[in-house]
Amino acid sequence: MRLLPELDPDQRDEGFPRPAATLPLPPNFFVDRRVWRFDTSSDWWDRLVMEIWDDQDWLRNFRMRKTTFQELCTWLAPALQRQDTHLRPAIPLEKRVAIALWKLATPDSYRSVGHQFGVGRSTVGAVLMEVVRAINSELLNRLICLPDLDSVMAGFAALGFPNCGGALDGTHIAIRALPHRATQFINRKGYFSMVLQALVDHRGQFSDICVGWSGRAHDARIFRNSYLYRRLQAGTFFPHRQFAVGDVHMPVCIVADAAYPLMPWLMKPYTGQLDASKEQFNARLNR
């Protein structure tokens, strides 16, 4: 039995046939959405996490205290707030942020996170990308920036290294590499990773980041190809300051480990056989 009549050759829209008429649908064709939608529970999130967990539980699972989480939600609200639709209510803002943080803080699969929060696996992936994009657009320039240079230099001087504006290093973030590119991402420790290069102040707060290089790349190569290197080389990253040592005027410097190149504005430890003064210099730099 044919459900559609013969099509008129003229009734076509960009190559797709359009029926001239259709048979009427039976009265019971449309069903209540609740009949086929799989209902999930979010009691774990609504009752246990939000009402019972203390700061130690939050730190252990989300890597931040509840007050920090709530402040983060306030900052991200303009980018993440959603309205209910006639099909279903929107996922609450706090729950969306929590889903993303849980996925970022744990090795759980999308399916496992979905069961934990009572949402679908595809929803976890979509929410994760939305929250990450919101963090980049709303928080990146607000939180990762050069603080007051005088207070930073005073903080490093209290640690024993004067005229210092930041400490530089890289850290490996474990990833699941694509099979055809796995060899490009395996690092010297034997696992697949991407590198985050970070410049931090005396309190460990980020002043600059560079992320995306494969784990196989050397720290010095990443640094020489970063925006930070170009600005330090041009003398435009720090406000103009000079520190006099005798008759020598030194620019504001950063400190790094032995993997980085020695520059007029980058101090690294001495290597090889060391006398007492060089060992003392290394100890203060490493501190």
Side-chain angles (χ1 to χ4, degrees):
M1 175 180 177
R2 299 175 65 92
L3 294 180
L4 298 177
E6 292 292 333
L7 298 176
D8 187 335
D10 295 330
Q11 290 182 330
R12 297 180 180 273
D13 184 12
E14 298 182 356
F16 294 95
R18 183 174 58 201
T22 60
L23 295 179
L25 295 172
N28 62 345
F29 181 82
F30 294 102
V31 296
D32 191 337
R33 184 179 177 88
R34 292 172 296 178
V35 174
W36 56 266
R37 186 182 64 194
F38 179 71
D39 290 324
T40 55
S41 173
S42 61
D43 286 350
W44 170 82
W45 163 254
D46 295 328
R47 299 183 182 180
L48 178 64
V49 177
M50 292 300 290
E51 296 180 5
I52 299 177
W53 274 13
D54 58 17
D55 275 348
Q56 291 305 311
D57 294 318
W58 277 85
L59 283 170
R60 187 164 49 249
N61 291 281
F62 290 100
R63 311 294 179 89
M64 63 180 63
R65 292 180 172 83
K66 186 177 181 179
T67 52
T68 305
F69 169 79
Q70 291 171 332
E71 185 176 7
L72 179 63
C73 291
T74 301
W75 287 345
L76 297 179
L80 292 178
Q81 198 71 54
R82 298 290 185 270
Q83 298 295 325
D84 295 344
T85 69
H86 67 283
L87 295 177
R88 65 179 64 186
I91 300 175
L93 170 66
E94 290 184 335
K95 188 174 179 179
R96 296 163 66 84
V97 177
I99 289 171
L101 291 179
W102 188 279
K103 185 66 185 79
L104 293 172
T106 68
D108 292 0
S109 65
Y110 283 12
R111 187 184 303 276
S112 176
V113 177
H115 286 319
Q116 196 85 352
F117 286 88
V119 298
R121 181 179 61 178
S122 60
T123 300
V124 174
V127 167
L128 173 62
M129 295 309 299
E130 289 174 358
V131 173
V132 169
R133 292 191 184 102
I135 290 173
N136 283 335
S137 63
E138 301 293 327
L139 302 183
L140 186 63
N141 294 328
R142 180 188 301 184
L143 297 180
I144 302 180
C145 59
L146 185 65
D148 178 63
L149 183 59
D150 291 329
S151 63
V152 172
M153 293 174 61
F156 278 112
L159 295 173
F161 207 98
N163 201 43
C164 180
L168 179 72
D169 205 354
T171 184
H172 289 266
I173 302 170
I175 64 168
R176 181 178 296 173
L178 296 174
H180 66 284
R181 299 186 63 193
T183 56
Q184 301 177 26
F185 287 90
I186 191 166
N187 60 36
R188 64 182 183 276
K189 298 181 180 180
Y191 63 88
F192 304 117
S193 67
M194 297 179 72
V195 180
L196 165 67
Q197 174 188 278
L199 181 73
V200 301
D201 64 15
H202 60 290
R203 296 174 296 177
Q205 296 183 338
F206 291 111
S207 303
D208 184 87
I209 60 170
C210 175
V211 66
W213 283 78
S214 72
R216 189 175 180 180
H218 192 275
D219 287 346
R221 180 187 174 197
I222 297 171
F223 178 54
R224 287 187 181 277
N225 286 275
S226 67
Y227 183 59
L228 173 65
Y229 175 87
R230 294 193 293 271
R231 292 190 64 189
L232 287 168
Q233 187 76 327
T236 58
F237 184 78
F238 292 116
H240 181 69
R241 299 282 196 283
Q242 284 194 337
F243 180 74
V245 179
D247 296 332
V248 179
H249 292 276
M250 299 172 53
V252 178
C253 69
I254 63 175
V255 293
D257 61 28
Y260 291 90
L262 180 65
M263 307 291 292
W265 36 261
L266 189 153
M267 298 293 105
K268 57 184 286 186
Y270 285 102
T271 57
Q273 293 184 347
L274 308 179
D275 57 25
S277 62
K278 292 179 180 179
E279 288 182 350
Q280 184 180 18
F281 176 89
N282 284 0
R284 291 197 175 195
L285 186 148
N286 291 329
R287 186 186 304 170

